[in-house]
Amino acid sequence: FSTLMSKRAPPPATPARPLEAAAVLEAAARVFRERGFGATSMADVARELGVSRPALYYYFPSKDAILASLVEAVTVSIAEQARSLAESPRERDPGARLHALVARHAGFIAAHASIFHVLQQSQPYLPAPLRTVNAQGKDAVLRSFEKVISAGVRRGTFRAVQPSVAALAVLGMCNGCASWFRPDGPMSADAVGELIADMAVASLALPGERAPRADLAEPLARARVALGRLNELIELIEPA
């Protein structure tokens, strides 16, 4: 997440300790989650960071600007991340592609649970343009999940489900991390992402078939193709 804000100007020399814009967003999200956006002031955010309000104002002029940055940075970035994974030419097997997509998406949400929780709870405070950006980002993520699931249904990797409904169900598992994940819990964010990805792929696998591990799905698919070609060659060389 820290790379999302990396293009901002370097911090001034005046604060007692250097800040990063990403750290400001993370701290603000924690306070927004604990106190609610409406009840939080810039002084509360500065106190959470242990800096003066002038140091905080260097980055953001108001808490509304902080919320706007959260929406723009997070919503746009996860939409682009999902699109990139859904269209990745390196992973052709729909099961492996869905696993990678869900693991990354759920893991990212778990790692930044406070931010996503705030975005879910702060919709009434978003001005119309930001509400549009947020909605467009969500739609883009949904389309990416639908695309991968549709490909799996067409290829016979997944059951004959309605892709849009299945995508919403899988996204529900991912988004739920923002409500219950805790960094000091029994599993890391990445481990939670992998677990949810395993569950998502298994839930769509054909009845009676065990969903292959994501890291083995593509090699297994290539092996099946090679075996088929070998059988064809054997039939050609065997005497009638």
Side-chain angles (χ1 to χ4, degrees):
F1 177 72
S2 60
T3 58
L4 300 179
M5 304 298 295
S6 60
K7 294 183 179 180
R8 297 182 71 90
T14 52
R17 60 187 176 89
L19 287 176
E20 294 292 339
V24 175
L25 294 181
E26 291 278 7
R30 290 194 299 271
V31 180
F32 291 161
R33 183 172 187 172
E34 293 171 2
R35 300 174 60 89
F37 179 81
T40 299
S41 68
M42 289 291 276
D44 295 325
V45 178
R47 192 177 303 112
E48 176 72 13
L49 284 163
V51 300
S52 65
R53 276 186 294 177
L56 182 58
Y57 285 131
Y58 173 81
Y59 291 94
F60 300 101
S62 66
K63 67 177 184 180
D64 297 282
I66 294 176
L67 183 60
S69 291
L70 286 172
V71 172
E72 292 173 351
V74 174
T75 302
V76 173
S77 69
I78 62 172
E80 176 57 29
Q81 177 178 271
R83 184 199 64 78
S84 177
L85 287 171
E87 299 176 0
S88 172
R90 296 182 298 176
E91 193 59 81
R92 298 177 184 175
D93 179 75
R97 184 172 291 185
L98 180 64
H99 192 284
L101 182 59
V102 174
R104 181 72 64 83
H105 192 68
F108 189 84
I109 291 176
H112 306 289
S114 291
I115 289 177
F116 280 91
H117 187 271
V118 167
L119 294 182
Q120 291 172 358
Q121 300 299 317
S122 301
Q123 300 300 311
Y125 300 100
L126 296 178
L130 275 181
R131 210 171 292 140
T132 299
V133 170
N134 193 39
Q136 289 174 342
K138 289 181 177 179
D139 288 342
V141 172
L142 177 61
R143 287 195 301 271
S144 293
F145 276 69
E146 284 184 17
K147 181 176 183 177
V148 176
I149 294 173
S150 294
V153 172
R154 288 195 304 270
R155 288 185 54 174
T157 304
F158 299 148
R159 294 182 291 116
V161 297
Q162 173 55 249
S164 60
V165 175
L168 287 169
V170 172
L171 279 171
M173 288 195 296
C174 297
N175 295 337
C177 294
S179 299
W180 56 260
F181 179 80
R182 295 293 180 270
D184 58 352
M187 298 179 68
S188 68
D190 288 342
V192 166
E194 290 290 327
L195 175 59
I196 292 177
D198 289 343
M199 295 170 63
V201 175
S203 70
L204 293 173
L206 291 171
E209 292 190 9
R210 184 178 179 181
R213 282 174 45 190
D215 57 340
L216 295 180
E218 183 66 17
L220 284 174
R222 290 197 297 267
R224 292 190 188 103
V225 172
L227 183 59
R229 291 173 180 170
L230 179 59
N231 287 332
E232 292 174 0
L233 289 173
I234 292 174
E235 290 176 0
L236 289 174
I237 62 176
E238 281 185 341

